[in-house]
Amino acid sequence: MQKLNLPAYPFKLKSNEKHTLIFGEIRKKYVVLTPEEWVRQHFVQFLIQEKNYPTSLIAVEKQLIVNNLKKRSDILVFSSNGLPNIIVECKAPHIKITQDTFDQIARYNLKLNANFLIVTNGLQHFFCKLDIENETYIFLEEIPSYK
């Protein structure tokens, strides 16, 4: 898999007759290793190891309903009081991050009301806080560490 603009982490990989699989620490199971999953697993480890978020507050592919459609947030980090705090939208490294990507995560946030939004393709990372009052994004240099 492609080297990302994130620290390298030791992942458990295995192969079956069709795919390479990666062990997801949050879901506690092996999943097919796609380029997007590579980014998702790196970013989960970044949140845990670099930003000190407890694994108990992190959900992966959490289902939500947006405009009567079933969607899944790539990574959802809850605050200690159980409310959504951070939504992370992961794209494969070859996918360019566009306004559509920000629109997608903003639609998810209409349901979740998280404090922070992160969009990443593993090479570029955008951290922002949604300014609901002014209907705009406030871009941040980095996301805060867990307190």
Side-chain angles (χ1 to χ4, degrees):
M1 281 280 146
Q2 181 173 353
K3 182 169 175 18
L4 303 177
N5 185 17
L6 288 163
Y9 299 106
F11 292 107
K12 294 181 196 170
L13 301 174
K14 71 178 186 178
S15 294
N16 64 21
E17 55 282 346
K18 293 183 180 180
H19 300 92
T20 298
L21 307 171
I22 187 169
F23 187 78
E25 183 175 343
I26 302 302
R27 291 179 276 187
K28 302 278 190 245
K29 66 179 184 178
Y30 281 92
V31 295
V32 174
L33 179 56
T34 62
E36 182 179 320
E37 190 64 39
W38 185 241
V39 172
R40 183 173 21 250
Q41 293 304 324
H42 272 80
F43 213 87
V44 164
Q45 289 305 311
F46 174 77
L47 290 169
I48 294 167
Q49 295 189 36
E50 315 306 322
K51 295 296 180 176
N52 300 312
Y53 284 90
T55 57
S56 60
L57 297 180
I58 300 172
V60 173
E61 292 199 321
K62 181 96 170 135
Q63 183 176 300
L64 59 143
I65 306 293
V66 179
N67 297 327
N68 295 320
L69 299 172
K70 289 182 182 178
K71 302 290 183 180
R72 293 184 186 275
S73 61
D74 284 318
I75 303 169
L76 184 56
V77 182
F78 294 91
S79 61
S80 56
N81 64 5
L83 296 174
N85 187 37
I86 302 169
I87 307 170
V88 184
E89 180 60 30
C90 300
K91 299 294 183 192
H94 69 275
I95 302 292
K96 185 175 179 174
I97 295 173
T98 64
Q99 184 61 48
D100 287 344
T101 312
F102 285 98
D103 293 345
Q104 176 186 1
I105 198 170
R107 280 192 303 276
Y108 291 178
N109 203 36
L110 290 174
K111 285 284 184 190
L112 297 169
N113 296 314
N115 295 314
F116 299 95
L117 308 179
I118 300 171
V119 175
T120 181
N121 64 5
L123 303 174
Q124 291 183 292
H125 321 289
F126 297 93
F127 311 114
C128 58
K129 186 173 175 96
L130 189 60
D131 181 347
I132 296 169
E133 193 174 298
N134 296 310
E135 296 182 353
T136 188
Y137 304 106
I138 300 168
F139 285 87
L140 307 170
E141 289 294 315
E142 63 181 76
I143 60 164
S145 294
Y146 183 74
K147 295 177 175 71

CSV table of all heavy atoms in Angstrom, one decimal, residues 30-79:
chain,number,residue,atom,x,y,z
A,30,TYR,N,-10.8,-8.5,11.1
A,30,TYR,CA,-10.1,-8.3,9.8
A,30,TYR,C,-11.1,-7.8,8.8
A,30,TYR,O,-12.2,-8.3,8.7
A,30,TYR,CB,-9.4,-9.5,9.3
A,30,TYR,CG,-8.1,-9.8,10.1
A,30,TYR,CD1,-8.1,-10.6,11.2
A,30,TYR,CD2,-6.9,-9.3,9.6
A,30,TYR,CE1,-6.9,-10.9,11.8
A,30,TYR,CE2,-5.7,-9.5,10.3
A,30,TYR,CZ,-5.8,-10.4,11.4
A,30,TYR,OH,-4.6,-10.6,12.0
A,31,VAL,N,-10.7,-6.8,8.0
A,31,VAL,CA,-11.6,-6.3,6.9
A,31,VAL,C,-10.7,-6.2,5.7
A,31,VAL,O,-9.5,-6.2,5.8
A,31,VAL,CB,-12.2,-4.9,7.3
A,31,VAL,CG1,-13.1,-5.0,8.4
A,31,VAL,CG2,-11.1,-3.9,7.6
A,32,VAL,N,-11.3,-6.1,4.5
A,32,VAL,CA,-10.6,-6.1,3.3
A,32,VAL,C,-9.8,-4.8,3.2
A,32,VAL,O,-10.3,-3.7,3.5
A,32,VAL,CB,-11.6,-6.1,2.1
A,32,VAL,CG1,-10.8,-5.9,0.7
A,32,VAL,CG2,-12.3,-7.5,2.0
A,33,LEU,N,-8.5,-4.9,2.8
A,33,LEU,CA,-7.6,-3.8,2.8
A,33,LEU,C,-7.8,-3.1,1.4
A,33,LEU,O,-7.2,-3.5,0.4
A,33,LEU,CB,-6.2,-4.3,3.0
A,33,LEU,CG,-5.1,-3.2,2.9
A,33,LEU,CD1,-5.4,-2.0,3.9
A,33,LEU,CD2,-3.7,-3.7,3.2
A,34,THR,N,-8.6,-2.0,1.4
A,34,THR,CA,-8.7,-1.2,0.2
A,34,THR,C,-7.9,0.1,0.5
A,34,THR,O,-7.5,0.3,1.6
A,34,THR,CB,-10.2,-0.8,0.1
A,34,THR,OG1,-10.6,0.0,1.2
A,34,THR,CG2,-11.1,-2.0,-0.1
A,35,PRO,N,-7.6,0.9,-0.5
A,35,PRO,CA,-6.9,2.1,-0.3
A,35,PRO,C,-7.6,3.0,0.8
A,35,PRO,O,-6.9,3.6,1.6
A,35,PRO,CB,-6.8,2.8,-1.7
A,35,PRO,CG,-6.9,1.6,-2.6
A,35,PRO,CD,-7.8,0.6,-2.0
A,36,GLU,N,-8.9,3.1,0.7
A,36,GLU,CA,-9.6,3.9,1.7
A,36,GLU,C,-9.5,3.3,3.1
A,36,GLU,O,-9.3,4.0,4.1
A,36,GLU,CB,-11.1,4.0,1.4
A,36,GLU,CG,-11.9,4.9,2.4
A,36,GLU,CD,-13.3,5.0,2.0
A,36,GLU,OE1,-13.7,5.2,0.8
A,36,GLU,OE2,-14.2,5.0,2.9
A,37,GLU,N,-9.5,2.0,3.2
A,37,GLU,CA,-9.4,1.3,4.5
A,37,GLU,C,-8.0,1.6,5.1
A,37,GLU,O,-7.8,1.7,6.3
A,37,GLU,CB,-9.7,-0.2,4.4
A,37,GLU,CG,-9.8,-0.9,5.8
A,37,GLU,CD,-10.9,-0.4,6.6
A,37,GLU,OE1,-12.0,-0.1,6.1
A,37,GLU,OE2,-10.7,-0.2,7.9
A,38,TRP,N,-7.0,1.6,4.2
A,38,TRP,CA,-5.6,1.9,4.6
A,38,TRP,C,-5.5,3.3,5.3
A,38,TRP,O,-4.9,3.4,6.3
A,38,TRP,CB,-4.7,1.8,3.4
A,38,TRP,CG,-3.2,2.0,3.6
A,38,TRP,CD1,-2.5,3.0,3.0
A,38,TRP,CD2,-2.3,1.1,4.3
A,38,TRP,NE1,-1.1,2.8,3.4
A,38,TRP,CE2,-1.0,1.7,4.2
A,38,TRP,CE3,-2.5,0.0,5.0
A,38,TRP,CZ2,0.1,1.1,4.7
A,38,TRP,CZ3,-1.4,-0.6,5.6
A,38,TRP,CH2,-0.1,0.0,5.5
A,39,VAL,N,-6.2,4.2,4.7
A,39,VAL,CA,-6.2,5.6,5.2
A,39,VAL,C,-7.0,5.6,6.6
A,39,VAL,O,-6.6,6.2,7.6
A,39,VAL,CB,-6.9,6.6,4.2
A,39,VAL,CG1,-7.1,8.0,4.9
A,39,VAL,CG2,-6.0,6.7,3.0
A,40,ARG,N,-8.2,4.9,6.6
A,40,ARG,CA,-9.0,4.9,7.8
A,40,ARG,C,-8.2,4.3,9.0
A,40,ARG,O,-8.2,4.8,10.1
A,40,ARG,CB,-10.3,4.1,7.5
A,40,ARG,CG,-11.2,4.0,8.7
A,40,ARG,CD,-12.6,3.4,8.5
A,40,ARG,NE,-12.7,2.5,7.4
A,40,ARG,CZ,-13.4,2.8,6.3
A,40,ARG,NH1,-14.0,4.0,6.1
A,40,ARG,NH2,-13.4,1.9,5.3
A,41,GLN,N,-7.5,3.1,8.7
A,41,GLN,CA,-6.8,2.5,9.8
A,41,GLN,C,-5.6,3.4,10.3
A,41,GLN,O,-5.3,3.4,11.5
A,41,GLN,CB,-6.3,1.1,9.4
A,41,GLN,CG,-7.5,0.1,9.2
A,41,GLN,CD,-8.4,0.0,10.4
A,41,GLN,OE1,-7.9,0.0,11.6
A,41,GLN,NE2,-9.7,-0.2,10.2
A,42,HIS,N,-5.0,4.0,9.4
A,42,HIS,CA,-3.9,4.9,9.8
A,42,HIS,C,-4.4,6.1,10.6
A,42,HIS,O,-3.9,6.5,11.7
A,42,HIS,CB,-3.2,5.5,8.6
A,42,HIS,CG,-2.0,4.7,8.1
A,42,HIS,ND1,-2.2,3.5,7.4
A,42,HIS,CD2,-0.7,4.8,8.3
A,42,HIS,CE1,-1.0,3.0,7.1
A,42,HIS,NE2,-0.1,3.7,7.7
A,43,PHE,N,-5.6,6.6,10.2
A,43,PHE,CA,-6.1,7.8,11.0
A,43,PHE,C,-6.6,7.4,12.3
A,43,PHE,O,-6.5,8.1,13.3
A,43,PHE,CB,-7.2,8.6,10.1
A,43,PHE,CG,-7.1,10.0,10.4
A,43,PHE,CD1,-6.3,10.9,9.7
A,43,PHE,CD2,-7.9,10.6,11.5
A,43,PHE,CE1,-6.2,12.2,10.1
A,43,PHE,CE2,-7.8,11.9,11.8
A,43,PHE,CZ,-6.9,12.7,11.1
A,44,VAL,N,-7.2,6.2,12.4
A,44,VAL,CA,-7.6,5.7,13.7
A,44,VAL,C,-6.4,5.6,14.7
A,44,VAL,O,-6.5,6.1,15.8
A,44,VAL,CB,-8.3,4.3,13.6
A,44,VAL,CG1,-8.4,3.6,15.0
A,44,VAL,CG2,-9.7,4.5,13.0
A,45,GLN,N,-5.3,5.1,14.2
A,45,GLN,CA,-4.1,5.0,15.0
A,45,GLN,C,-3.5,6.3,15.3
A,45,GLN,O,-3.0,6.5,16.4
A,45,GLN,CB,-3.1,4.1,14.3
A,45,GLN,CG,-3.4,2.6,14.3
A,45,GLN,CD,-3.7,2.1,15.6
A,45,GLN,OE1,-3.0,2.2,16.6
A,45,GLN,NE2,-4.9,1.4,15.8
A,46,PHE,N,-3.6,7.3,14.4
A,46,PHE,CA,-3.2,8.6,14.7
A,46,PHE,C,-4.0,9.2,15.8
A,46,PHE,O,-3.4,9.8,16.7
A,46,PHE,CB,-3.3,9.5,13.4
A,46,PHE,CG,-3.1,10.9,13.6
A,46,PHE,CD1,-1.8,11.4,13.7
A,46,PHE,CD2,-4.1,11.8,13.7
A,46,PHE,CE1,-1.5,12.8,13.9
A,46,PHE,CE2,-3.9,13.2,13.9
A,46,PHE,CZ,-2.6,13.7,14.0
A,47,LEU,N,-5.3,9.0,15.8
A,47,LEU,CA,-6.1,9.6,16.9
A,47,LEU,C,-5.8,8.9,18.2
A,47,LEU,O,-5.7,9.6,19.3
A,47,LEU,CB,-7.6,9.3,16.6
A,47,LEU,CG,-8.2,10.2,15.4
A,47,LEU,CD1,-9.6,9.7,15.0
A,47,LEU,CD2,-8.2,11.7,15.8
A,48,ILE,N,-5.5,7.6,18.2
A,48,ILE,CA,-5.2,6.9,19.4
A,48,ILE,C,-3.8,7.2,19.9
A,48,ILE,O,-3.6,7.6,21.1
A,48,ILE,CB,-5.4,5.4,19.2
A,48,ILE,CG1,-6.8,5.0,18.9
A,48,ILE,CG2,-4.9,4.6,20.4
A,48,ILE,CD1,-7.1,3.6,18.4
A,49,GLN,N,-2.8,7.1,19.1
A,49,GLN,CA,-1.4,7.1,19.5
A,49,GLN,C,-0.9,8.5,19.6
A,49,GLN,O,0.0,8.8,20.4
A,49,GLN,CB,-0.6,6.2,18.6
A,49,GLN,CG,-1.0,4.8,18.8
A,49,GLN,CD,0.0,3.8,18.1
A,49,GLN,OE1,1.2,4.1,18.0
A,49,GLN,NE2,-0.6,2.8,17.5
A,50,GLU,N,-1.3,9.4,18.7
A,50,GLU,CA,-0.7,10.8,18.6
A,50,GLU,C,-1.6,11.8,19.4
A,50,GLU,O,-1.1,12.7,20.0
A,50,GLU,CB,-0.5,11.3,17.2
A,50,GLU,CG,0.1,10.3,16.2
A,50,GLU,CD,1.4,9.7,16.7
A,50,GLU,OE1,2.2,10.4,17.3
A,50,GLU,OE2,1.6,8.5,16.4
A,51,LYS,N,-2.9,11.6,19.3
A,51,LYS,CA,-3.8,12.5,20.0
A,51,LYS,C,-4.5,12.0,21.2
A,51,LYS,O,-5.3,12.7,21.9
A,51,LYS,CB,-4.9,12.9,19.0
A,51,LYS,CG,-4.4,13.7,17.8
A,51,LYS,CD,-3.8,15.0,18.2
A,51,LYS,CE,-3.2,15.8,17.1
A,51,LYS,NZ,-2.7,17.1,17.5
A,52,ASN,N,-4.1,10.8,21.6
A,52,ASN,CA,-4.5,10.2,22.9
A,52,ASN,C,-6.0,10.0,23.1
A,52,ASN,O,-6.5,10.0,24.2
A,52,ASN,CB,-3.9,11.0,24.1
A,52,ASN,CG,-2.4,11.0,24.0
A,52,ASN,OD1,-1.8,10.0,23.8
A,52,ASN,ND2,-1.9,12.2,24.1
A,53,TYR,N,-6.8,9.8,22.0
A,53,TYR,CA,-8.2,9.5,22.2
A,53,TYR,C,-8.4,8.0,22.6
A,53,TYR,O,-7.7,7.1,22.0
A,53,TYR,CB,-9.0,9.8,20.9
A,53,TYR,CG,-9.2,11.2,20.6
A,53,TYR,CD1,-8.2,12.0,20.0
A,53,TYR,CD2,-10.3,11.9,21.1
A,53,TYR,CE1,-8.4,13.4,19.8
A,53,TYR,CE2,-10.5,13.2,21.0
A,53,TYR,CZ,-9.5,14.0,20.3
A,53,TYR,OH,-9.7,15.3,20.1
A,54,PRO,N,-9.2,7.7,23.6
A,54,PRO,CA,-9.4,6.4,24.0
A,54,PRO,C,-10.2,5.6,22.9
A,54,PRO,O,-11.1,6.1,22.3
A,54,PRO,CB,-10.3,6.5,25.3
A,54,PRO,CG,-10.2,7.9,25.7
A,54,PRO,CD,-9.9,8.7,24.5
A,55,THR,N,-9.8,4.3,22.7
A,55,THR,CA,-10.5,3.5,21.7
A,55,THR,C,-12.0,3.4,22.0
A,55,THR,O,-12.8,3.2,21.1
A,55,THR,CB,-9.9,2.1,21.6
A,55,THR,OG1,-9.9,1.5,22.9
A,55,THR,CG2,-8.4,2.2,21.1
A,56,SER,N,-12.3,3.5,23.3
A,56,SER,CA,-13.7,3.3,23.7
A,56,SER,C,-14.6,4.5,23.2
A,56,SER,O,-15.8,4.4,23.2
A,56,SER,CB,-13.8,3.2,25.2
A,56,SER,OG,-13.3,4.4,25.8
A,57,LEU,N,-14.0,5.6,22.8
A,57,LEU,CA,-14.8,6.7,22.3
A,57,LEU,C,-14.8,6.8,20.8
A,57,LEU,O,-15.3,7.7,20.2
A,57,LEU,CB,-14.2,8.0,22.9
A,57,LEU,CG,-14.2,8.2,24.4
A,57,LEU,CD1,-13.6,9.6,24.8
A,57,LEU,CD2,-15.6,8.1,24.9
A,58,ILE,N,-14.2,5.8,20.1
A,58,ILE,CA,-14.1,5.8,18.6
A,58,ILE,C,-15.0,4.8,18.0
A,58,ILE,O,-15.0,3.6,18.4
A,58,ILE,CB,-12.6,5.6,18.2
A,58,ILE,CG1,-11.7,6.7,18.8
A,58,ILE,CG2,-12.5,5.6,16.7
A,58,ILE,CD1,-10.2,6.5,18.6
A,59,ALA,N,-15.8,5.2,17.0
A,59,ALA,CA,-16.6,4.3,16.2
A,59,ALA,C,-16.1,4.3,14.8
A,59,ALA,O,-15.8,5.4,14.3
A,59,ALA,CB,-18.1,4.6,16.4
A,60,VAL,N,-16.2,3.2,14.1
A,60,VAL,CA,-15.8,3.1,12.7
A,60,VAL,C,-17.0,2.7,11.9
A,60,VAL,O,-17.7,1.7,12.3
A,60,VAL,CB,-14.6,2.2,12.5
A,60,VAL,CG1,-14.3,2.0,11.0
A,60,VAL,CG2,-13.4,2.7,13.2
A,61,GLU,N,-17.3,3.4,10.8
A,61,GLU,CA,-18.4,3.1,9.9
A,61,GLU,C,-19.7,3.1,10.7
A,61,GLU,O,-20.5,2.1,10.6
A,61,GLU,CB,-18.2,1.8,9.1
A,61,GLU,CG,-17.1,2.0,8.1
A,61,GLU,CD,-17.1,1.0,7.0
A,61,GLU,OE1,-17.4,-0.2,7.2
A,61,GLU,OE2,-16.8,1.4,5.8
A,62,LYS,N,-20.0,4.1,11.5
A,62,LYS,CA,-21.2,4.2,12.3
A,62,LYS,C,-22.3,4.6,11.3
A,62,LYS,O,-22.2,5.6,10.6
A,62,LYS,CB,-21.0,5.3,13.4
A,62,LYS,CG,-22.2,5.5,14.2
A,62,LYS,CD,-22.0,4.6,15.5
A,62,LYS,CE,-23.1,5.1,16.5
A,62,LYS,NZ,-23.7,3.9,17.1
A,63,GLN,N,-23.4,3.9,11.3
A,63,GLN,CA,-24.5,4.2,10.4
A,63,GLN,C,-25.3,5.4,10.9
A,63,GLN,O,-25.5,5.6,12.1
A,63,GLN,CB,-25.5,3.0,10.3
A,63,GLN,CG,-26.6,3.2,9.4
A,63,GLN,CD,-27.5,2.0,9.2
A,63,GLN,OE1,-27.0,0.9,8.8
A,63,GLN,NE2,-28.7,2.1,9.5
A,64,LEU,N,-25.8,6.2,10.0
A,64,LEU,CA,-26.7,7.3,10.2
A,64,LEU,C,-27.6,7.5,9.0
A,64,LEU,O,-27.4,7.0,8.0
A,64,LEU,CB,-25.9,8.6,10.5
A,64,LEU,CG,-25.0,9.2,9.4
A,64,LEU,CD1,-25.1,10.7,9.4
A,64,LEU,CD2,-23.6,8.7,9.8
A,65,ILE,N,-28.7,8.1,9.3
A,65,ILE,CA,-29.7,8.3,8.2
A,65,ILE,C,-29.7,9.8,7.8
A,65,ILE,O,-29.8,10.7,8.7
A,65,ILE,CB,-31.2,8.0,8.7
A,65,ILE,CG1,-31.2,6.6,9.3
A,65,ILE,CG2,-32.2,8.2,7.6
A,65,ILE,CD1,-31.0,5.5,8.2
A,66,VAL,N,-29.4,10.0,6.5
A,66,VAL,CA,-29.4,11.4,6.0
A,66,VAL,C,-30.3,11.4,4.8
A,66,VAL,O,-30.1,10.7,3.8
A,66,VAL,CB,-27.9,11.8,5.5
A,66,VAL,CG1,-27.9,13.2,4.9
A,66,VAL,CG2,-26.9,11.7,6.7
A,67,ASN,N,-31.3,12.3,4.9
A,67,ASN,CA,-32.3,12.4,3.8
A,67,ASN,C,-32.9,11.1,3.5
A,67,ASN,O,-33.0,10.7,2.3
A,67,ASN,CB,-31.7,13.1,2.6
A,67,ASN,CG,-31.3,14.5,2.8
A,67,ASN,OD1,-31.9,15.2,3.6
A,67,ASN,ND2,-30.2,14.9,2.2
A,68,ASN,N,-33.3,10.3,4.5
A,68,ASN,CA,-33.9,9.0,4.4
A,68,ASN,C,-33.0,7.9,3.7
A,68,ASN,O,-33.5,6.9,3.2
A,68,ASN,CB,-35.2,9.1,3.6
A,68,ASN,CG,-36.3,9.8,4.4
A,68,ASN,OD1,-36.4,9.7,5.6
A,68,ASN,ND2,-37.0,10.7,3.7
A,69,LEU,N,-31.7,8.2,3.6
A,69,LEU,CA,-30.7,7.3,3.1
A,69,LEU,C,-29.8,6.8,4.2
A,69,LEU,O,-29.4,7.6,5.0
A,69,LEU,CB,-29.9,7.9,2.0
A,69,LEU,CG,-30.7,8.4,0.7
A,69,LEU,CD1,-29.8,9.2,-0.2
A,69,LEU,CD2,-31.3,7.2,0.0
A,70,LYS,N,-29.5,5.5,4.2
A,70,LYS,CA,-28.5,5.0,5.1
A,70,LYS,C,-27.1,5.4,4.7
A,70,LYS,O,-26.7,5.1,3.5
A,70,LYS,CB,-28.6,3.5,5.2
A,70,LYS,CG,-29.8,3.0,5.9
A,70,LYS,CD,-29.9,1.5,6.0
A,70,LYS,CE,-31.1,1.1,6.7
A,70,LYS,NZ,-31.2,-0.4,6.8
A,71,LYS,N,-26.3,6.0,5.5
A,71,LYS,CA,-25.0,6.4,5.3
A,71,LYS,C,-24.1,5.9,6.4
A,71,LYS,O,-24.6,5.5,7.4
A,71,LYS,CB,-24.8,8.0,5.2
A,71,LYS,CG,-25.7,8.6,4.1
A,71,LYS,CD,-25.2,8.3,2.7
A,71,LYS,CE,-26.0,8.9,1.7
A,71,LYS,NZ,-25.5,8.6,0.3
A,72,ARG,N,-22.8,6.0,6.2
A,72,ARG,CA,-21.9,5.6,7.3
A,72,ARG,C,-20.8,6.6,7.4
A,72,ARG,O,-20.2,7.0,6.4
A,72,ARG,CB,-21.2,4.2,7.0
A,72,ARG,CG,-22.2,3.1,7.0
A,72,ARG,CD,-21.5,1.8,6.8
A,72,ARG,NE,-22.4,0.6,6.7
A,72,ARG,CZ,-22.9,0.0,7.7
A,72,ARG,NH1,-22.6,0.3,8.9
A,72,ARG,NH2,-23.7,-1.0,7.5
A,73,SER,N,-20.5,7.1,8.6
A,73,SER,CA,-19.4,7.9,8.9
A,73,SER,C,-18.2,7.0,9.0
A,73,SER,O,-18.2,6.0,9.6
A,73,SER,CB,-19.6,8.8,10.1
A,73,SER,OG,-19.7,7.9,11.3
A,74,ASP,N,-17.1,7.5,8.3
A,74,ASP,CA,-15.8,6.6,8.4
A,74,ASP,C,-15.3,6.5,9.8
A,74,ASP,O,-15.1,5.3,10.2
A,74,ASP,CB,-14.8,7.3,7.5
A,74,ASP,CG,-15.0,7.0,6.0
A,74,ASP,OD1,-15.4,5.9,5.6
A,74,ASP,OD2,-14.8,8.0,5.2
A,75,ILE,N,-15.1,7.6,10.5
A,75,ILE,CA,-14.7,7.5,11.9
A,75,ILE,C,-15.5,8.6,12.6
A,75,ILE,O,-15.7,9.7,12.2
A,75,ILE,CB,-13.2,7.9,12.0
A,75,ILE,CG1,-12.3,6.9,11.2
A,75,ILE,CG2,-12.8,7.8,13.5
A,75,ILE,CD1,-10.9,7.4,11.0
A,76,LEU,N,-16.0,8.2,13.8
A,76,LEU,CA,-16.8,9.1,14.6
A,76,LEU,C,-16.2,9.0,16.0
A,76,LEU,O,-16.0,7.9,16.6
A,76,LEU,CB,-18.2,8.7,14.7
A,76,LEU,CG,-19.2,9.6,15.4
A,76,LEU,CD1,-19.1,11.1,15.0
A,76,LEU,CD2,-20.6,9.1,15.3
A,77,VAL,N,-15.7,10.1,16.6
A,77,VAL,CA,-15.1,10.2,17.9
A,77,VAL,C,-16.1,10.9,18.8
A,77,VAL,O,-16.6,12.0,18.5
A,77,VAL,CB,-13.8,10.9,17.9
A,77,VAL,CG1,-13.2,10.9,19.3
A,77,VAL,CG2,-12.8,10.3,16.9
A,78,PHE,N,-16.4,10.2,19.9
A,78,PHE,CA,-17.4,10.8,20.9
A,78,PHE,C,-16.6,11.5,22.0
A,78,PHE,O,-15.5,11.2,22.3
A,78,PHE,CB,-18.2,9.7,21.5
A,78,PHE,CG,-19.2,9.1,20.5
A,78,PHE,CD1,-18.7,7.9,19.8
A,78,PHE,CD2,-20.4,9.6,20.2
A,78,PHE,CE1,-19.6,7.3,18.8
A,78,PHE,CE2,-21.2,9.0,19.3
A,78,PHE,CZ,-20.8,7.9,18.6
A,79,SER,N,-17.3,12.5,22.6
A,79,SER,CA,-16.7,13.1,23.8
A,79,SER,C,-17.0,12.2,25.0
A,79,SER,O,-17.8,11.2,24.9
A,79,SER,CB,-17.4,14.5,24.0
A,79,SER,OG,-18.8,14.3,24.2
